[in-house]
Amino acid sequence: MKKIKFLGLLTAAALLASCSGDDDSVSRTDITLQSITLLPSLEENSQYEVWLTSGGEDISLGKFRSLSNGQTFSAASSSVENASSFKISLEPGNDPSADISNTVILSGSFNGNSADLTIANSIGNFSNASGIFTLWTPTDSDANNNQNGVYWLNPNNGNPQAGLNLPTLPAGWRYEGWVTVPNANNQSVNLSTGRFSSPTGRDETAAYSSQVNTAPQFPGEDFVNQSILGQLGFNLLPDLRLKKVFISVEPEPDNNYAEPFVIQPLINPRSTNSLYPTTQTMDLNTLSFPRGVVSR
């Protein structure tokens, strides 16, 4: 009986050695991130995850707080050879899920042995994006403080129309309006006008606005709530004339709701002194778009 048990143990050991040898002998191939731009290093509560799409399956190549030129990833050679695309997603820190999130920031299909990674393949095509806004405070009854608010709309002689032309974002992303103004300590502060999905509806917050009048059905904000603004270091209501006004694309959920994400498709770097009903135009800001190239 002891001899039989001993032979059984030898057989089991041989099988384990055989399986281990098979795993070790699987051919692997490197994929190289030849270039990557405008992907900031992330804080501990979020991370990038790199994916290879092969055989209809998204295969994780690892999670990283930052990505850099020349960085390499490894996968089974058969998966690399049959890969159709490459993706980079944003994932929560310590994410237990093995699945890719909705928040894919860059992706691209392989053409031969390389793939160009762009936001056009993952978030949207902004080639036709455009925008106008007007400095206006419609939610209060003060006719002399329009410099303290901004709305992305065309007044159109009292029949307002949408001021933004933007692509519909996929799940995992939202638009957000911003203005950059100095507080009482002369520190530049990015004030959010709120997040939104559609240019033809209100954004989701009105923290700084008055409650006297109903806000228009378009994204924007009156910065007239001094009690909240005071907590951000403002002794006076912020004057939005000659200030930076822009739209960002934000991950949802976001690891930092207080500051804008790097993707800012529309911008007016310095608004004019013109107030409602005069409109001001925004420029397409492709220089804010992350991009990359991978090779196999």
Side-chain angles (χ1 to χ4, degrees):
M1 184 66 99
K2 291 182 178 179
K3 184 176 181 179
I4 293 174
K5 288 183 177 179
F6 179 70
L7 290 174
L9 289 172
L10 285 176
T11 303
L15 286 172
L16 286 173
S18 174
C19 291
S20 175
D22 288 344
D23 289 341
D24 292 341
S25 65
V26 171
S27 175
R28 299 185 71 81
T29 299
D30 283 347
I31 300 172
T32 302
L33 190 57
Q34 299 289 355
S35 66
I36 191 74
T37 59
L38 295 178
L39 280 190
S41 297
L42 298 176
E43 300 174 1
E44 292 184 1
N45 56 351
S46 63
Q47 55 199 343
Y48 297 113
E49 191 159 6
V50 176
W51 305 83
L52 192 69
T53 304
S54 184
E57 179 185 2
D58 290 320
I59 302 168
S60 176
L61 302 182
K63 298 178 179 180
F64 310 89
R65 291 275 155 71
S66 63
L67 295 169
S68 58
N69 296 343
Q71 194 165 345
T72 60
F73 319 96
S74 177
S77 295
S78 59
S79 296
V80 175
E81 291 168 3
N82 296 319
S84 58
S85 64
F86 187 94
K87 303 173 184 175
I88 299 174
S89 67
L90 284 170
E91 306 286 340
N94 301 317
D95 182 19
S97 174
D99 298 327
I100 188 171
S101 72
N102 289 326
T103 317
V104 177
I105 183 170
L106 287 175
S107 66
S109 298
F110 279 101
N111 182 10
N113 288 325
S114 66
D116 292 329
L117 309 178
T118 71
I119 66 169
N121 297 320
S122 54
I123 297 177
N125 186 340
F126 290 90
S127 58
N128 294 320
S130 62
I132 59 172
F133 63 89
T134 187
L135 299 183
W136 188 29
T137 54
T139 67
D140 69 4
S141 56
D142 189 343
N144 298 312
N145 68 348
N146 283 334
Q147 68 275 8
N148 303 131
V150 59
Y151 284 83
W152 282 274
L153 58 78
N154 180 354
N156 193 36
N157 296 317
N159 297 297
Q161 299 175 338
L164 294 171
N165 177 31
L166 292 166
T168 301
L169 297 178
W173 298 96
R174 303 287 298 279
Y175 289 113
E176 189 164 8
W178 300 86
V179 293
T180 304
V181 289
N183 63 14
N185 297 319
N186 205 32
Q187 299 169 323
S188 290
V189 178
N190 290 310
L191 293 176
S192 171
T193 65
R195 296 189 171 204
F196 60 95
S197 298
S198 171
T200 57
R202 293 191 187 99
D203 49 52
E204 62 187 30
T205 60
Y208 305 101
S209 292
S210 170
Q211 304 299 317
V212 174
N213 300 315
T214 301
Q217 292 281 351
F218 301 95
E221 187 77 11
D222 297 35
F223 291 98
V224 295
N225 190 328
Q226 183 60 58
S227 61
I228 295 180
L229 289 163
Q231 299 174 27
L232 301 176
F234 289 90
N235 294 337
L236 301 172
L237 299 182
D239 187 336
L240 307 189
R241 291 173 293 187
L242 309 180
K243 303 300 189 298
K244 179 181 176 182
V245 179
F246 60 104
I247 300 291
S248 70
V249 176
E250 300 289 329
E252 188 71 31
D254 195 349
N255 70 311
N256 185 356
Y257 284 91
E259 292 296 332
F261 195 58
V262 63
I263 303 173
Q264 299 169 14
L266 292 177
I267 184 172
N268 184 314
R270 184 178 170 86
S271 63
T272 70
N273 285 307
S274 299
L275 304 176
Y276 178 88
T278 302
T279 60
Q280 304 185 43
T281 59
M282 306 189 77
D283 299 325
L284 182 61
N285 184 29
T286 59
L287 293 178
S288 73
F289 295 175
R291 49 183 54 86
V293 176
V294 292
S295 64
R296 60 181 173 183

